[in-house]
């Protein structure tokens, strides 16, 4: 079975440590060797700007885009920009990547920079990380504000370009504002790496009403492997993810589930899901409890169907 994973932080990690080698370095949860071992067909690489870089700027985003070409594309991870690229990858079985930005901070409020990133292959945008930025409030911002005026322009421009918006770190108020904006634009949105609040009441998880709104929009939810989004146990096992999957299915989301591991963005792991190579174990776990058709959908089918409909058409 082939895997689509909608979130990892490899690029940020390499930006901070240029000695890391994407081909086989065990300092990376996701590397070429582990993608092959785990059957990962398509990996979405997030551009996240660490606070260690200082004030976020477009130069930091451009640097990570260059790193993708120099370190990841260079070892055979083709960048998927459109449906033609996607169909070619699926037909060939070759590993591939997509690009997202996690937090609009580095765009500096300049929509020209957004367009520039789109031209460089970025197809997803998480408006915020946990805190507030020039566009909106993040989910950990105490005031729980929504979008700024410039943030509303950002959403409109993303809809015009075809950049898919990601709500995994967005404030509650911002989430519901985006629901209205997306309904008007007839564009879905995703949560690339979030679980069910009903099962684990962490602020980064999705409440039932949010899950239903994503389903109604035609979007996708990337069930994530962040241990503290799964439960509050000292040791978390992969089977502890199953209640999150069951709950989303009970809300009508069985065809809207995908996975967004957050590998390389976490220092603590689920005990049997420590890196991309462990996806083979995760497949075995899922098949113990669910029909193969459902499992195939969660591993790749639901994500690929969404991508074919909403990324740019092209040859």
């Amino acid at each position: 079975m082939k895997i689509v994973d909608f979130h990892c932080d490899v690029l940020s990690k390499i930006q901070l440590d240029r000695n890391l080698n994407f081909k086989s370095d065990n300092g990376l949860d996701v590397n070429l060797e582990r993608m092959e071992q785990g059957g990962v067909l398509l990996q979405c690489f997030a551009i996240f700007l660490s606070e260690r870089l200082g004030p976020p700027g477009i130069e930091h985003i451009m640097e990570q885009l260059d790193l993708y070409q120099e370190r990841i594309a260079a070892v055979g991870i083709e960048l998927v920009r459109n449906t033609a690229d996607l169909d070619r990858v699926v037909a060939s079985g070759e590993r591939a990547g997509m690009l997202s930005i996690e937090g609009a901070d580095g765009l500096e409020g300049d929509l020209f920079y957004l367009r520039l990133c789109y031209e460089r292959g970025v197809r997803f945008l998480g408006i915020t990380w946990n805190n507030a930025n020039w566009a909106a409030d993040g989910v950990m911002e105490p005031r729980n504000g929504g979008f700024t005026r410039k943030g509303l322009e950002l959403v409109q421009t993303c809809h015009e370009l075809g950049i898919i918006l990601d709500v995994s770190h967005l404030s509650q108020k911002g989430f519901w504002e985006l629901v209205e904006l997306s309904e008007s634009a007839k564009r879905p949105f995703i949560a690339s790496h979030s679980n069910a609040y009903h099962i684990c009441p962490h602020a980064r998880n999705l409440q039932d009403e949010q899950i239903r709104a994503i389903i109604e929009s035609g979007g996708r939810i990337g069930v994530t492997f962040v241990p503290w989004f799964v439960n509050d146990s000292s040791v978390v096992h992969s089977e502890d993810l199953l209640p999150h999957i069951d709950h989303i299915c009970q809300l009508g989301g069985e065809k809207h589930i995908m996975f967004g591991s957050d590998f390389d963005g976490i220092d603590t792991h689920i005990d049997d899901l420590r890196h991309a190579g462990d996806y083979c174990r995760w497949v075995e776990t899922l098949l113990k409890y669910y029909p193969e058709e459902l499992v195939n959908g969660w591993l790749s089918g639901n994500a690929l169907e969404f991508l074919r409909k909403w990324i740019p058409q092209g040859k």
Side-chain angles (χ1 to χ4, degrees):
M1 291 186 176
K2 298 299 182 183
I3 313 296
V4 175
D5 186 315
F6 251 75
H7 191 87
C8 79
D9 286 298
V10 168
L11 288 170
S12 178
K13 224 171 180 179
I14 295 176
Q15 187 175 40
L16 295 174
D17 183 356
R18 301 305 178 88
N19 292 317
L20 291 170
N21 178 352
F22 181 75
K23 196 167 185 180
S24 60
D25 199 313
N26 286 338
L28 294 171
D29 300 336
V30 178
N31 60 37
L32 178 60
E33 189 175 90
R34 286 173 165 173
M35 285 179 69
E36 292 173 346
Q37 178 185 349
V40 179
L41 175 73
L42 181 61
Q43 175 70 59
C44 190
F45 293 87
I47 296 170
F48 172 72
L49 304 185
S50 169
E51 293 178 351
R52 289 167 56 186
L53 298 171
I58 189 61
E59 70 273 15
H60 300 127
I61 293 177
M62 292 294 116
E63 189 172 54
Q64 288 196 36
L65 289 170
D66 289 343
L67 284 170
Y68 184 90
Q69 294 302 319
E70 296 164 6
R71 303 293 188 90
I72 298 175
V75 297
I77 306 296
E78 174 188 350
L79 181 62
V80 170
R81 297 168 175 264
N82 55 44
T83 54
D85 294 340
L86 183 66
D87 290 341
R88 185 166 57 252
V89 164
V90 172
S92 69
E94 296 295 328
R95 317 287 162 199
M98 298 193 77
L99 288 168
S100 68
I101 294 176
E102 185 176 19
D105 310 55
L107 297 174
E108 302 179 35
D110 191 329
L111 297 181
F112 169 77
Y113 290 154
L114 177 69
R115 293 183 176 92
L116 180 61
C117 290
Y118 177 81
E119 291 300 319
R120 291 288 303 270
V122 171
R123 294 295 178 264
F124 308 95
L125 174 68
I127 300 104
T128 66
W129 190 58
N130 287 334
N131 308 315
N133 62 21
W134 60 267
D137 276 10
V139 69
M140 306 302 283
E141 186 67 35
R143 66 185 175 185
N144 186 35
F147 283 90
T148 65
R149 287 185 182 179
K150 198 69 177 180
L152 295 174
E153 292 179 31
L154 175 72
V155 171
Q156 181 179 348
T157 305
C158 284
H159 285 160
E160 291 169 356
L161 289 172
I163 292 176
I164 296 160
L165 292 165
D166 179 358
V167 299
S168 272
H169 285 274
L170 189 60
S171 67
Q172 285 279 327
K173 185 174 182 183
F175 179 96
W176 292 109
E177 289 177 353
L178 183 62
V179 168
E180 292 185 14
L181 295 167
S182 297
E183 285 176 352
S184 298
K186 298 182 179 179
R187 297 277 305 177
F189 55 94
I190 66 170
S192 64
H193 56 304
S194 297
N195 290 340
Y197 186 91
H198 180 83
I199 304 300
C200 178
H202 189 286
R204 274 277 286 100
N205 284 338
L206 298 165
Q207 297 187 14
D208 287 0
E209 295 81 4
Q210 293 178 296
I211 292 171
R212 291 191 184 98
I214 294 172
I215 292 168
E216 288 174 11
S217 85
R220 296 292 185 269
I221 298 166
V223 171
T224 189
F225 305 161
V226 180
W228 51 96
F229 297 170
V230 179
N231 62 39
D232 60 2
S233 300
S234 58
V235 178
V236 178
H237 307 281
S238 62
E239 291 192 358
D240 295 327
L241 281 164
L242 304 184
H244 291 271
I245 292 172
D246 291 343
H247 187 71
I248 295 169
C249 287
Q250 288 167 9
L251 295 173
E254 70 176 38
K255 294 188 180 299
H256 300 264
I257 292 171
M258 56 184 188
F259 297 112
S261 64
D262 207 6
F263 283 142
D264 291 299
I266 49 177
D267 296 322
T268 304
H269 298 80
I270 292 174
D271 71 335
D272 52 346
L273 273 175
R274 295 182 174 274
H275 55 73
D278 286 339
Y279 257 114
C280 52
R281 296 184 185 180
W282 180 225
V283 172
E284 292 174 1
T285 298
L286 290 170
L287 288 173
K288 282 170 55 180
Y289 296 97
Y290 305 103
E292 184 174 334
E293 181 182 0
L294 272 183
V295 173
N296 264 319
W298 300 337
L299 294 172
S300 62
N302 295 342
L304 292 173
E305 181 184 27
F306 178 83
L307 291 171
R308 287 191 180 101
K309 186 170 183 179
W310 294 108
I311 65 173
Q313 305 293 307
K315 294 183 179 180

